[in-house]
């Protein structure tokens, strides 16, 4: 009976370890997606600021003519 208990306990431990690993991978994936979203938003903001600066320069140059 001890052998069966040890085998059962080993199976339980393996299942728990796999579940923890899966949860950690999910959390890492969520963090990666969040970072990617933040970078995309930051990139979009930089693009908009650059476009605004370019438009301001164009307007300044056109008003001087």
């Amino acid at each position: 009976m001890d052998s069966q208990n040890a085998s059962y306990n080993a199976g339980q431990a393996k299942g728990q370890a796999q579940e923890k690993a899966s949860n950690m991978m999910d959390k890492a994936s969520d963090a990666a997606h969040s970072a990617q979203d933040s970078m995309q938003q930051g990139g979009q903001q930089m693009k908009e600021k650059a476009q605004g600066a370019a438009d301001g320069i164009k307007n300044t140059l056109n008003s001087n003519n």
Side-chain angles (χ1 to χ4, degrees):
M1 199 68 155
D2 286 338
S3 175
Q4 287 179 337
N5 281 343
S7 179
Y8 174 80
N9 288 338
Q12 287 290 99
K14 180 181 177 184
Q16 290 174 359
Q18 287 174 332
E19 181 67 21
K20 285 182 181 179
S22 178
N23 287 340
M24 289 175 66
M25 290 298 293
D26 288 344
K27 287 180 182 180
S29 178
D30 290 346
H33 284 118
S34 178
Q36 183 179 21
D37 290 345
S38 294
M39 290 180 65
Q40 286 176 343
Q41 289 174 357
Q44 184 64 34
Q45 288 175 352
M46 288 179 64
K47 181 180 174 184
E48 290 170 2
K49 287 181 181 180
Q51 185 62 51
D55 290 344
I57 291 169
K58 285 179 189 176
N59 290 339
T60 299
L61 292 175
N62 286 335
S63 68
N64 286 339
N65 290 332

